[in-house]
Amino acid sequence: MNSQLYTAISRVAYAYVFYYLDFNLGLNGHSINFLPEWACFALILSALPGLALAERSALLLRPLAWILLAANAAEWVMALLGVSLEAGDLYLVNVLIDVVALYFHFQLLTNLASIARGVNASRAQSLLRIRTVTTLVGTAVSALSALPSLAERAPDWLSTAAAAALLVYVVIIVIWTLVTLFGLRADMRRGEGPAQ
């Protein structure tokens, strides 16, 4: 087992814990996430050189990771300081960040699936399915949030059904992703990883 690659996979697995889970506590009258999303991108940035040992193109994600880290850190610091912006204030910036995030996760999961192919083919397939599902749903959610007037005109029952479906999706995708990534990490620890 390549210890650098194992460490990189471990960091990515823990990064997705920060990405998916919110642990909000009230601080100075504000809700602060103690599992901030920016930590996900910091962990992934530290993992990219190790991932590049098996998948060289992983290093191409660095600039995007820095953009996402900076955007999420700025949002987190503003929440910490109690600064809030109106939804329309940074509309185009938010759309751009959504597009960058969609591409970033698509490519990262593609790279992880390529690495997993040499470890466990079923985990590689699972990562490709996660990549496809998250990209499709993320695109749909981003498109709907970009058209708020469409969501406002929807009947109440449809909005409730869509919210319930999204909640079910989130629970399933979070569990599926974390089980797959930590499973890949366990496979590598057992020595099933590529011996590069």
Side-chain angles (χ1 to χ4, degrees):
M1 173 183 70
N2 184 318
S3 64
Q4 288 177 296
L5 186 56
Y6 170 77
T7 299
I9 295 292
S10 296
R11 288 178 183 170
V12 172
Y14 284 109
Y16 274 94
V17 171
F18 282 91
Y19 183 69
Y20 281 126
L21 302 181
D22 282 340
F23 184 63
N24 291 305
L25 291 177
L27 183 68
N28 297 330
H30 306 289
S31 180
I32 303 300
N33 185 2
F34 281 87
L35 291 174
E37 197 171 314
W38 58 260
C40 161
F41 299 108
L43 281 167
I44 290 172
L45 271 166
S46 71
L48 290 177
L51 296 178
L53 296 172
E55 190 64 28
R56 195 172 297 228
S57 65
L59 286 177
L60 297 175
L61 291 172
R62 268 189 182 153
L64 301 180
W66 277 112
I67 290 169
L68 295 169
L69 174 83
N72 283 283
E75 185 179 330
W76 187 80
V77 168
M78 287 191 324
L80 187 65
L81 298 175
V83 177
S84 63
L85 297 173
E86 295 297 319
D89 287 347
L90 297 173
Y91 175 76
L92 290 177
V93 172
N94 289 333
V95 169
L96 180 62
I97 295 297
D98 284 349
V99 170
V100 169
L102 279 169
Y103 176 76
F104 176 84
H105 290 290
F106 179 90
Q107 189 57 48
L108 179 62
L109 290 168
T110 301
N111 289 341
L112 290 170
S114 180
I115 292 167
R117 236 179 252 118
V119 179
N120 182 322
S122 66
R123 292 215 199 276
Q125 283 301 314
S126 188
L127 284 165
L128 290 174
R129 288 185 186 112
I130 290 166
R131 177 202 68 185
T132 302
V133 169
T134 56
T135 301
L136 291 173
V137 173
T139 301
V141 168
S142 293
L144 287 175
S145 65
L147 302 169
S149 61
L150 181 65
E152 291 168 3
R153 286 186 268 156
D156 287 342
W157 67 268
L158 184 59
S159 297
T160 303
L166 186 59
L167 179 63
V168 169
Y169 156 76
V170 167
V171 169
I172 290 170
I173 204 67
V174 167
I175 292 169
W176 186 16
T177 303
L178 294 179
V179 165
T180 301
L181 288 173
F182 281 98
L184 176 59
R185 178 180 178 265
D187 292 343
M188 294 191 75
R189 187 178 55 232
R190 285 192 298 267
E192 297 173 26
Q196 296 179 7

